Amino acid sequence: MSDATKYIFVTGGVLSSLGKGLASASIGLLLESRGLSVTIQKLDPYINVDPGTMNPFQHGEVYVTDDGTETDLDLGHYERFISAKLGHDNNFTTGKIYNSVITKERKGEYLGGTVQVIPHITDEIKKSIRLVSNDVDVVIVEIGGTIGDIESLPFLEAIRQFRSDVGKNNVIYIHLTLVPYIKTACEQKTKPTQHSVKELRSIGIQPDILLCRTDRYLSPELKAKIALFCNVDDNDVITAKDVDCIYEVPLIYNQEGLGNRIIKKLNIWARAPRLEDWQELVDRLKHPRFSVNIAIVGKYVDLTESYKSLNEALSHGGIANDSRVNLIYVDSSSLTEENLESTLEKADGILVPGGFGSRGIEGKILAVKYARENKVPFFGICLGMHMAVIEFARHVAAMEDAHGTEFDINTPYPVIYLMKEWYDERTKKMEKRDLSSDKGGTMRLGAYPCVVVSDTLAMNAYREENISERHRHRYEFNNQYRKTLEDAGLVVSGTSPDEELVEIVELRDHPWFLGCQFHPEFKSRPLHPHPLFREFIKASLKNSRKE
Ligand code: GLN
């Protein structure tokens, strides 16, 4: 921690889903746009040690960082808005905090003393905040949950203490609340905000700035009323208006003067914000010239929040092609030979995303077959790449009943399987895996290098040989069948540097058909759309214009 590091703690009130993650990411962007270096950390009050094992339907997507941490999806927002690379220390949960306190207690580090929430848990929380403070001007810490939850109390107590620890001028508290418009009264109501701030003050935290989520701008009178009741300046009541596109949030905040208020309160000298690129991006997103339909073929229950990064990456691919991307969600378990055509005929491109488990697998394979045979641009990601390999093996390479061992352990052609042993570029050692290790924590996780083969769709997209992409999976392409599949026409267009792990496959006699073992969506940024998404959307647009 450098002496000059400043801290912004972001809490949320009234109800969940107000978009604290986006608010924190947007604050980060505003500060970066003024030339400051920023990082963002999420403190989650739940007891799971990490979200890796949590049901994505309940909790949304599991986001993966370069260092292989399975994190909360808010870290995806952070990485899409700011340039900092996040990792292990940017996401702490109650479980992770207690885990380390209990481990220390077992080792006798507390010298037989009574271990308590205050000070031991709170100290551990404060220690975790300091872990990300090195070499940055500002640390933004988002506290998960809503004020009033029992679970968040130790975190709130820790951030309350933090201000005394590092000095009053170095910490501000920003509270995101709701100002609902009540139709019958034709009025915006401030009471929920008043109550939430009261609750926050009762635990010793006086917010410095209020972000009021609302569907219309707050009038000066309303701001004054909120300011009076909540003990802040009128200028510190910021309208966080609903927007059509998430990338507009920082622009609204800026217009409301949030950046100025923050740097004034934290006593930071910084240049005026440069948000021209961002403004242009929002304009492009809101007024695209073209439009394209992409079918996402997945498990019904996964088809919303669990594909956050994927949806964003597709929209980035749209930005690169001046196109709106309309998503058609297709539940793979309802796909049959009979309804295949009628379900997919409107799709200009077909995407099979990552996933786990056997449900709807045959439907996904049918969708691949349809895309391959009808020359519809196809993009398979992780599980989607497995589906592409299995479909190709079965229907082109004459390997009847070919499968992945995740779905059929007795298949005669296990083209996707658990690789027993391989050299791991990230851990720099030989890794082993078998059926008994097939549980959480044994996945290939995080950034791995990949070498792209020239004269391929992949090379045409990346335009560089050495790339790095993020992984989250157990099963791999089975090299035993590589020659047969290649002889039948499958192109291996990306591998690990030692060529043992197949990372990208594609087809030649097709407008655009590509499957990758990694998750490119985690690395797509609005100002830097991912090359594979850019090319997939480009090919799909071309297909949409076909007679
Ligand atoms: N279920 C597959 C595996 O574990 C794919 C995982 C994924 O798509 N992320 O390898």
Side-chain angles (χ1 to χ4, degrees):
M1 179 182 54
S2 81
D3 282 349
T5 307
K6 307 282 181 176
Y7 298 84
I8 299 175
F9 293 104
V10 180
T11 55
V14 186
L15 42 87
S16 59
S17 302
L18 288 183
K20 251 189 308 157
L22 271 175
S24 307
S26 302
I27 294 168
L29 177 84
L30 287 189
L31 297 175
E32 261 196 5
S33 78
R34 291 169 179 264
L36 298 167
S37 59
V38 179
T39 192
I40 314 185
Q41 183 184 52
K42 172 108 193 248
L43 299 180
D44 273 313
Y46 52 74
I47 294 173
N48 306 59
V49 174
D50 65 48
T53 53
M54 287 167 86
N55 177 352
F57 187 49
Q58 237 184 47
H59 191 71
E61 164 185 281
V62 176
Y63 186 77
V64 180
T65 49
D66 264 357
D67 69 359
T69 312
E70 296 177 281
T71 72
D72 188 85
L73 60 81
D74 279 323
L75 271 81
H77 288 314
Y78 306 163
E79 282 203 329
R80 282 187 284 274
F81 278 68
I82 66 168
S83 58
K85 273 259 168 358
L86 307 180
H88 180 263
D89 294 336
N90 294 84
N91 191 192
F92 278 84
T93 66
T94 296
K96 198 158 151 184
I97 299 282
Y98 270 77
N99 208 10
S100 55
V101 169
I102 292 169
T103 308
K104 283 186 195 163
E105 188 271 337
R106 292 290 82 186
K107 282 198 207 144
E109 285 185 27
Y110 297 110
L111 306 173
T114 309
V115 182
Q116 294 176 301
V117 174
I118 305 174
H120 302 100
I121 295 296
T122 45
D123 280 353
E124 196 66 28
I125 295 172
K126 292 194 286 183
K127 212 173 99 196
S128 71
I129 297 170
R130 291 206 177 88
L131 283 177
V132 293
S133 328
N134 284 327
D135 310 319
V136 288
D137 297 322
V138 186
V139 178
I140 299 168
V141 183
E142 176 190 346
I143 315 294
T146 309
I147 297 306
D149 294 348
I150 295 176
E151 291 91 342
S152 343
L153 283 174
F155 289 107
L156 296 171
E157 170 59 16
I159 65 168
R160 183 195 67 77
Q161 295 173 12
F162 207 88
R163 191 176 213 173
S164 316
D165 293 358
V166 300
K168 281 197 170 36
N169 296 335
N170 298 324
V171 172
I172 58 168
Y173 302 101
I174 297 185
H175 189 55
L176 176 66
T177 90
L178 178 72
V179 179
Y181 178 80
I182 304 297
K183 263 202 193 127
T184 44
C186 295
E187 231 187 308
Q188 281 168 294
K189 292 293 186 187
T190 65
K191 198 67 92 186
T193 297
Q194 294 179 34
H195 277 293
S196 180
V197 170
K198 192 169 153 208
E199 184 81 29
L200 198 53
R201 291 173 68 190
S202 75
I203 41 186
I205 296 175
Q206 164 64 51
D208 297 282
I209 295 175
L210 298 175
L211 296 178
C212 302
R213 190 60 200 276
T214 153
D215 66 351
R216 61 203 70 204
Y217 284 99
L218 302 176
S219 64
E221 295 72 35
L222 210 67
K223 283 190 175 181
K225 181 174 175 189
I226 295 173
L228 179 68
F229 279 103
C230 299
N231 204 23
V232 298
D233 280 352
D234 295 12
N235 289 343
D236 293 325
V237 181
I238 305 285
T239 303
K241 197 175 113 32
D242 297 348
V243 285
D244 299 333
C245 109
I246 56 171
Y247 301 115
E248 228 179 321
V249 174
L251 298 178
I252 303 255
Y253 285 179
N254 185 52
Q255 185 190 311
E256 284 279 302
L258 179 63
N260 284 335
R261 296 306 292 164
I262 292 176
I263 60 165
K264 182 152 189 283
K265 282 175 186 291
L266 285 174
N267 202 14
I268 307 175
W269 185 89
R271 64 163 198 235
R274 291 188 192 145
L275 289 162
E276 297 79 10
D277 286 2
W278 208 260
Q279 180 67 56
E280 193 188 315
L281 160 89
V282 169
D283 293 341
R284 281 172 76 107
L285 249 177
K286 287 174 86 172
H287 309 288
R289 280 201 291 158
F290 312 114
S291 163
V292 69
N293 298 327
I294 302 295
I296 301 188
V297 183
K299 254 199 282 186
Y300 173 67
V301 291
D302 289 339
L303 285 172
T304 48
E305 284 287 284
S306 21
Y307 292 133
K308 257 256 138 43
S309 298
L310 178 71
N311 296 347
E312 290 308 317
L314 282 163
S315 126
H316 304 161
I319 299 170
N321 290 284
D322 211 353
S323 174
R324 179 186 318 281
V325 180
N326 307 313
L327 303 181
I328 309 170
Y329 292 111
V330 176
D331 177 11
S332 61
S333 57
S334 64
L335 272 182
T336 61
E337 296 268 9
E338 290 68 42
N339 66 18
L340 190 60
E341 169 122 36
S342 60
T343 315
L344 294 177
E345 67 186 352
K346 283 205 180 61
D348 304 315
I350 296 174
L351 189 148
V352 179
F356 293 82
S358 327
R359 216 175 102 189
I361 284 296
E362 290 304 323
K364 291 180 190 178
I365 296 174
L366 273 179
V368 177
K369 182 161 181 276
Y370 176 88
R372 181 178 57 77
E373 290 180 346
N374 294 287
K375 309 253 186 255
V376 180
F378 170 82
F379 195 4
I381 295 178
C382 205
L383 182 81
M385 176 249 199
H386 296 172
M387 300 294 98
V389 172
I390 293 164
E391 195 281 327
F392 188 88
R394 284 187 192 174
H395 304 127
V396 183
M399 298 181 192
E400 201 180 330
D401 294 329
H403 223 321
T405 53
E406 182 178 7
F407 320 109
D408 177 6
I409 193 73
N410 299 315
T411 168
Y413 301 104
V415 287
I416 303 291
Y417 77 142
L418 284 181
M419 195 170 258
K420 287 197 179 54
E421 208 181 35
W422 78 96
Y423 177 71
D424 191 294
E425 283 278 350
R426 234 167 49 75
T427 55
K428 301 284 179 221
K429 57 178 196 219
M430 292 307 286
E431 288 282 343
K432 283 191 171 46
R433 185 176 292 156
D434 59 32
L435 272 184
S436 64
S437 67
D438 184 16
K439 302 260 159 46
T442 58
M443 284 198 265
R444 185 144 77 95
L445 276 170
Y448 281 84
C450 169
V451 179
V452 181
V453 177
S454 34
D455 273 335
T456 58
L457 294 173
M459 183 54 97
N460 185 41
Y462 284 103
R463 295 172 207 273
E464 56 184 328
E465 198 180 343
N466 294 303
I467 57 161
S468 166
E469 292 283 3
R470 297 182 189 170
H471 290 248
R472 182 173 187 254
H473 58 99
R474 301 186 185 94
Y475 293 84
E476 306 278 354
F477 182 100
N478 188 343
N479 285 323
Q480 200 191 321
Y481 300 99
R482 182 156 159 186
K483 171 118 191 14
T484 322
L485 291 166
E486 283 181 324
D487 288 347
L490 190 76
V491 177
V492 171
S493 55
T495 65
S496 55
D498 66 2
E499 294 182 32
E500 284 302 306
L501 300 163
V502 170
E503 307 283 45
I504 316 177
V505 298
E506 57 186 69
L507 294 182
R508 251 189 232 299
D509 53 352
H510 192 286
W512 208 87
F513 186 107
L514 184 143
C516 54
Q517 183 57 85
F518 43 80
H519 288 273
E521 68 271 29
F522 292 146
K523 289 192 68 176
S524 190
R525 307 282 174 262
L527 294 178
H528 303 283
H530 192 284
L532 292 180
F533 283 92
R534 184 191 70 219
E535 292 303 306
F536 171 59
I537 297 294
K538 190 181 191 179
S540 305
L541 253 179
K542 205 163 159 196
N543 184 38
S544 76
R545 293 185 189 126
K546 224 171 48 192
E547 279 302 293

